[in-house]
Amino acid sequence: MSKLALVTGATSGIGKAFAERLAADGYDLIIVGRNKDRLEEFAATHTDAKVRTVAADLSTDIGVDTVAEICAGEPLTMLVNNAGVAHYMPLAELPADKARELVHVKVVAPTMLTRAAVAGMQERGEGKIINVAGMIAFSGPADKSVMPRRAVYAGSLAHLVAMSQTLSAELEDTGVQVQVLCPGVVATEFHTRQGLDMSVVPRMSAEDVVTAGLRGLELGEVVCAPGVEDTGLLDAVFQADLAAFGGQSPELASRYRAN
């Protein structure tokens, strides 16, 4: 049986690198993006694989519903939720339409596409879901010196981390793997589109991010951080999360009681 992967945001950067790697690995592809010309160009230059193109805007309900229907109806072996926008900006200055676009692309779309795909994967007893987030998901405790401002963006990536971890536990022993892929700064068009010059910042290649993600699946990693050498740092974060979660009580904490 052929392997079938659906990749969102497949026209550039990490998404395109995933599509290229998966095509080389023998997958048939459904590639999703806003730019129809780029999608068709990819299909025309990757004739060794069966490539279906879907032009859809995941910042809209129609776009999400269109792709979710495909996820529910096709026997996907892998789903890569990669589409993204940044809109780095202080929350008070972030235009409402851009805030809505960001939440739709990085929260609503991956949630609904995963929901659509996971039932079929469970029934077939196999499947892999990769949600592309970033190390900014862990930047919440940073003080005001950290730039640029990006509260909504950081929050959307943190959603992907928590959702992926919780879903992975839900799907234990079903044959379905879930991973959240958290690279640092990557050499793609992503920051250029936001008007940010990252040329002097050391950056990982999109191809290395894909290598980490696929190898991370083999290693059984739920949270894959391609640039973090010491995985004990991640373990410490997760253990602290669980310690705080387990430390709650129905009694009011003493610091909140009147003296």
Side-chain angles (χ1 to χ4, degrees):
M1 183 176 177
S2 62
K3 299 180 291 185
L4 177 62
L6 186 147
V7 182
T8 69
T11 57
S12 64
I14 295 171
K16 185 177 181 180
F18 260 113
E20 290 175 338
R21 180 72 60 84
L22 294 174
D25 287 348
Y27 281 79
D28 292 335
L29 295 174
I30 302 172
I31 55 173
V32 180
R34 302 187 198 195
N35 191 315
K36 183 178 179 181
D37 291 341
R38 283 193 176 188
L39 292 170
E40 292 179 349
E41 179 183 356
F42 182 97
T45 55
H46 292 80
T47 55
D48 290 342
K50 181 179 178 181
V51 181
R52 173 182 173 186
T53 64
V54 179
D57 184 351
L58 295 180
S59 71
T60 67
D61 287 333
I62 292 174
V64 172
D65 290 346
T66 296
V67 182
E69 185 175 350
I70 296 169
C71 289
E74 296 288 344
L76 297 183
T77 311
M78 181 179 292
L79 169 63
V80 181
N81 285 310
N82 166 77
V85 291
H87 301 325
Y88 291 171
M89 208 173 297
L91 182 56
E93 299 173 17
L94 182 64
D97 61 335
K98 290 186 181 297
R100 187 175 294 109
E101 178 187 26
L102 174 52
V103 173
H104 230 87
V105 172
K106 292 307 293 181
V107 176
V108 176
T111 300
M112 299 309 293
L113 301 193
T114 297
R115 176 192 173 276
V118 75
M121 289 181 173
Q122 285 183 274
E123 289 176 5
R124 293 185 294 274
E126 66 171 345
K128 303 180 192 308
I129 299 168
I130 298 177
N131 294 315
V132 180
M135 291 305 292
I136 288 174
F138 302 100
S139 69
D143 64 31
K144 67 178 184 179
S145 67
V146 175
M147 297 288 285
R149 308 297 183 213
R150 53 201 177 195
V152 179
Y153 184 70
S156 71
L157 299 193
H159 164 81
L160 289 175
V161 173
M163 183 182 78
S164 299
Q165 290 175 305
T166 308
L167 181 59
S168 178
E170 284 183 24
L171 296 173
E172 189 173 345
D173 299 325
T174 66
V176 182
Q177 280 185 274
V178 182
Q179 178 193 94
V180 59
L181 180 55
C182 298
V185 183
V186 184
T188 68
E189 300 174 6
F190 184 76
H191 294 96
T192 304
R193 290 173 180 170
Q194 312 304 317
L196 299 173
D197 181 6
M198 305 294 285
S199 58
V200 299
V201 178
R203 294 171 291 170
M204 183 175 287
S205 71
E207 291 74 19
D208 278 351
V209 174
V210 172
T211 294
L214 297 178
R215 176 58 179 154
L217 287 173
E218 294 176 358
L219 295 172
E221 292 183 348
V222 177
V223 179
C224 174
V228 176
E229 183 65 33
D230 182 2
T231 57
L233 295 172
L234 296 173
D235 292 338
V237 171
F238 306 145
Q239 290 303 314
D241 285 345
L242 290 175
F245 179 68
Q248 60 187 316
S249 164
E251 300 296 329
L252 185 66
S254 60
R255 65 185 177 279
Y256 302 124
R257 298 172 191 163
N259 294 328

